[in-house]
Amino acid sequence: MTSTADTATEPRPEEPVRGAPAEAARRRSPPPWLVVAGTVIGVAFATPVGFLVLRNLLDGTYLTTVAETDLLRPTFNTLLLAVTVSGSTAVLGTGAAWL
């Protein structure tokens, strides 16, 4: 038999648990330096693809643009960097989460 004192301290499932830190974190916007850093990184990753799209729109020759060797190397390097960073952060982040 459970007493009413035990059930009075437990939150009810239908009521959300409220706390000052959780509510403040939801309302807070990111700091400006973080927005700028994210934008710079995003632009740096999008530049090679954007260059290919722009060049294709201006020339109208998609296959010759994509097949040029001076464009394949930077595109390959960008993809290699993205895959390497994603893989290493997945491994390091998972390892750090287990600490």
Side-chain angles (χ1 to χ4, degrees), residues 7-99:
T7 58
T9 58
E10 297 176 6
R12 294 182 181 170
E14 63 271 358
E15 293 180 8
V17 178
R18 296 178 189 246
E23 289 178 9
R26 275 187 249 128
R27 285 181 273 165
R28 202 177 304 159
S29 62
W33 65 267
L34 187 60
V35 173
V36 170
T39 303
V40 168
I41 292 170
V43 168
F45 272 97
T47 298
V49 175
F51 176 73
L52 287 174
V53 170
L54 180 65
R55 188 161 175 187
N56 182 30
L57 291 175
L58 295 177
D59 291 346
T61 54
Y62 177 72
L63 292 177
T64 57
T65 301
V66 172
E68 289 182 13
T69 56
D70 61 335
L71 294 179
L72 287 177
R73 191 68 181 161
T75 304
F76 174 75
N77 287 343
T78 300
L79 292 174
L80 179 64
L81 178 64
V83 169
T84 304
V85 168
S86 298
S88 63
T89 54
V91 169
L92 291 173
T94 303
W98 282 96
L99 292 178

